Amino acid sequence: LEYIKKSIFSVGWIGCRVIEFMPDDFVEEFKTALKEHAEKTEELSAETPYGIPYRPAIWGAGWSIQGMGSRFYFFYKAFPKIFKPDLMYNALQFILGCHPGSNTESFASGVGVKSSIIAYGANRADWSYIPGGVVSGTALIRPDLPELLDFPYLWQQKEYVIGGGSTNYLLLVLAVKYILENVGKQ
């Protein structure tokens, strides 16, 4: 329990999946840690116009935002009175084009009106298209230039991945779909 409380962001969602099997005293302490996590997340989300915790490093943050959004599904599903669905909605919007920079492409190739097509993958020298790949997204060129170029050799901005990126993207889409279909039924 102490490890889980210290690492609530990275492992708390796993605890949410098995909470019904835990003793009551564990659940109460776990809920206290979750409430603090929810408050901190809301505080960090309010710092950005995207409604998600976003502190960009040099690398594109798309994959970590998808992962965060999909983990929040498990937090929300187990404790809808503590967590709001907004983070999932906002994470998906970020991936679909509401992100920094002048290039507002969807990070998921083939998804959206405008999506990342040319990317660093097995097809990069062909300048061709792999549907379903998800790119890492907008990079931050220091000191403050968000960049997402159509150039297939910039692996730190437009690298296709299927495992991880696409998996988290699909889980996030399904999570948002589930929440939208079940709002008010819990």
Side-chain angles (χ1 to χ4, degrees), residues 12-150:
W13 67 277
I14 299 168
C16 289
R17 297 182 70 193
V18 295
I19 199 67
E20 64 195 72
F21 303 108
M22 298 298 138
D24 291 343
D25 57 335
F26 177 96
V27 173
E28 287 310 309
E29 282 195 62
F30 185 61
K31 281 173 71 172
T32 300
L34 289 175
K35 287 176 185 172
E36 291 170 9
H37 177 48
E39 289 169 8
K40 181 67 174 170
T41 302
E42 283 188 39
E43 183 182 304
L44 292 172
S45 296
E47 293 177 1
T48 75
Y50 310 107
I52 54 171
Y54 178 64
R55 295 209 170 137
I58 228 165
W59 192 280
W63 297 333
S64 59
I65 289 168
Q66 291 166 185
M68 176 189 55
S70 60
R71 284 191 303 273
F72 259 74
Y73 165 72
F74 296 104
F75 288 127
Y76 175 78
K77 190 156 191 280
F79 297 99
K81 289 184 172 40
I82 296 175
F83 293 92
K84 298 175 186 169
D86 301 18
L87 190 107
M88 289 175 287
Y89 303 150
N90 295 338
L92 185 58
Q93 288 180 44
F94 188 95
I95 301 308
L96 295 178
C98 184
H99 49 73
S102 59
N103 186 339
T104 56
E105 291 178 349
S106 161
F107 295 161
S109 64
V111 177
V113 175
K114 183 178 177 191
S115 69
S116 292
I117 302 291
I118 307 303
Y120 185 93
N123 64 323
R124 67 184 169 266
D126 303 336
W127 288 67
S128 61
Y129 175 58
I130 299 176
V134 178
V135 301
S136 54
T138 308
L140 182 63
I141 310 302
R142 299 289 180 208
D144 60 1
L145 173 68
E147 179 180 86
L148 185 61
L149 298 177
D150 282 323

Side-chain angles (χ1 to χ4, degrees), residues 58-60 136-139 141 147 153-159:
I58 228 165
W59 192 280
S136 54
T138 308
I141 310 302
E147 179 180 86
Y153 298 98
L154 292 174
W155 53 268
Q156 73 276 25
Q157 293 179 23
K158 284 200 170 183
E159 175 186 12

